[in-house]
């Protein structure tokens, strides 16, 4: 089980408009249904996401997730905010939305798991987006979120 942080380049606020959170959600749901991804906790913020996951191929999941979401984000941005695309052009003329690092942390103890779960759920509260963690829609703390998580104790 890994704790991951995937960050948008330059920490640019990208997800908070034009249904971009739905791009992330759709990709996670696809990986969950088709690629043996187990999702135990998550939060989508404006420019990064935190995930607690397991998979037979975590590196492959990250690669595929970033590739697919990059393609979909590029389409979305070119239709809704074409000038923003220039912020993500690299020196080779290719678009890069995600930072290269994923900051993977292997979860080896129950204490560390609880610490990371509390951290991701508190993220929107710490940023003053909501007063309670379960009020942030794009979080495993919110029981009404469309993304459902796996029970870590049954895995």
């Amino acid at each position: 089980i890994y704790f991951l942080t995937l960050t948008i380049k330059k920490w640019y606020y990208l997800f908070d408009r034009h249904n971009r959170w739905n791009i992330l959600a759709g990709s996670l749901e696809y990986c969950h249904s088709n690629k043996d991804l187990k999702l135990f906790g998550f939060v989508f913020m404006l420019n990064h996401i935190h995930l607690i996951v397991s998979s037979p191929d975590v590196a492959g999941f990250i690669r595929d997730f970033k590739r697919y979401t990059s393609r979909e984000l590029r389409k979305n941005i070119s239709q809704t905010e074409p000038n923003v695309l220039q912020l993500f052009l690299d020196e080779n003329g290719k678009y890069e939305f995600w930072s290269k690092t994923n900051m993977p942390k292997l979860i080896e103890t129950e204490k560390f798991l609880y610490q990371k779960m509390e951290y991701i759920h508190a993220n929107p509260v710490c940023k003053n987006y909501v007063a309670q963690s379960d009020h942030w829609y794009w979080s495993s703390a919110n029981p009404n979120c469309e993304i459902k998580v796996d029970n870590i104790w049954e895995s």
Side-chain angles (χ1 to χ4, degrees), residues 3 7-8 13 15 31 52 54 76 81 83 87 93 102-103 108 111 119 126 129 134 138-139:
F3 169 75
T7 306
I8 289 297
Y13 284 7
F15 300 134
C31 291
I52 297 176
S54 73
N76 178 288
E81 299 178 291
N83 292 335
L87 297 172
N102 309 306
M103 295 185 262
E108 296 184 281
K111 180 181 177 183
Y119 172 77
C126 292
Y129 298 155
D134 61 341
W138 293 108
S139 170

Side-chain angles (χ1 to χ4, degrees), residues 92-140:
N92 299 317
K94 294 185 180 185
Y95 292 100
E96 284 190 3
F97 295 98
W98 295 104
S99 294
K100 294 209 185 299
T101 182
N102 309 306
M103 295 185 262
K105 304 255 189 274
L106 181 62
I107 296 178
E108 296 184 281
T109 67
E110 199 171 305
K111 180 181 177 183
F112 189 62
L113 169 67
Y114 283 122
Q115 178 188 47
K116 291 304 178 189
M117 196 71 78
E118 177 59 31
Y119 172 77
I120 67 174
H121 290 162
N123 228 224
V125 177
C126 292
K127 291 285 190 182
N128 291 316
Y129 298 155
V130 290
Q132 293 176 213
S133 59
D134 61 341
H135 291 177
W136 186 252
Y137 183 75
W138 293 108
S139 170
S140 52

